[in-house]
Amino acid sequence: RKEVEQDPGPFNVPEGATVAFNCTYSNSASQSFFWYRQDCRKEPKLLMSVYSSGNEDGRFTAQLNRASQYISLLIRDSKLSDSATYLCVVNFSNYGQNFVFGPGTRLSVLP
Amino acid sequence: GAVVSQHPSRVICKSGTSVKIECRSLDFQATTMFWYRQFPKKSLMLMATSNEGSKATYEQGVEKDKFLINHASLTLSTLTVTSAHPEDSSFYICSARDQGLSSGGANVLTFGAGSRLTVL
């Protein structure tokens, strides 16, 4: 079983739609969780960290469920500029360097 | 926020030559940096962890004599692809972990812009 798994995608949604991505992780000792966004032929950029209480940043909402070992990302009112690959990243230790990336979920927002 | 500079962004070389890629943390110190490789439409693959002042830690299947990593200072790590082969053509990305004030101590990874290597 892979350490971090994501919805395979691709997700093709119309502008204005709401879309949700899920990510599961295998290591219950995981400490930190992140969503990164990667545009084609560019480096990943931090979208948001994911906190235990859940957090929201504008149209983006991240949730963490430690009991079930999954995190989610919800995008409301999708924009064309949201088209990208979304990477789930899990750090298995706050003191170590074990950042593990999911395979990514590709989103295309269509006009 | 934290900034990681990676250079060159693109490089084309002939088979058999060596190519050096630099990764610098501009506004923070990074005792550890990471080197990734990414093939088209694939996710990042961690190649190695670069440790300042000591040997890099390579992931399974990554040839350490092929991909030389040097982390001579707290702000600079280099990856040298030796005896480059067309199969080494890829997108190489570095990252560093910033635990400082710029990230609120949030243990966030910041990436360089990547280096696209083409070996002819």
Side-chain angles (χ1 to χ4, degrees), chain A residues 11-16 78-84 107-111:
Chain A
F11 285 63
N12 299 314
V13 302
E15 270 188 289
S78 300
K79 310 292 184 190
L80 295 177
S81 57
D82 294 335
S83 298
L107 171 66
S108 292
V109 180
L110 308 173

Side-chain angles (χ1 to χ4, degrees), chain B residues 4 6 16 21 34 47 53 65 72 74-75 91 99-100 103 106 119-120:
Chain B
V4 173
Q6 188 173 341
I21 302 170
F34 305 93
M47 298 175 65
D65 294 330
L74 287 171
T75 59
F91 190 48
Q99 286 185 288
S103 71
V119 184
L120 303 176

Side-chain angles (χ1 to χ4, degrees), chain A residues 32 34 36 38 41-46 49 51 87 89 91 93-97 99 101-104 106, chain B residues 10 31-32 34 36 38 41-44 46 49 91 93 97 99 106-114 116:
Chain A
S32 307
F34 310 90
Y36 278 76
Q38 186 175 24
R41 302 173 76 89
K42 299 285 187 181
E43 78 277 19
K45 292 186 177 178
L46 179 67
S49 301
Y51 303 118
L87 302 170
V89 182
N91 182 14
S93 169
N94 272 344
Y95 302 101
Q97 311 295 340
F99 289 89
F101 285 77
R106 193 167 197 166
Chain B
R10 289 181 182 273
T31 55
T32 304
F34 305 93
Y36 301 85
Q38 187 174 34
K41 299 187 179 181
K42 299 292 184 182
S43 189
L44 296 163
L46 179 65
T49 301
F91 190 48
I93 313 176
R97 187 174 68 121
Q99 286 185 288
N107 196 29
V108 171
L109 278 183
T110 300
F111 288 85
R116 191 162 300 281

Side-chain angles (χ1 to χ4, degrees), chain A residues 24-35:
Chain A
T24 58
Y25 58 94
S26 60
N27 189 331
S28 60
S30 301
Q31 297 289 339
S32 307
F33 309 89
F34 310 90
W35 284 103

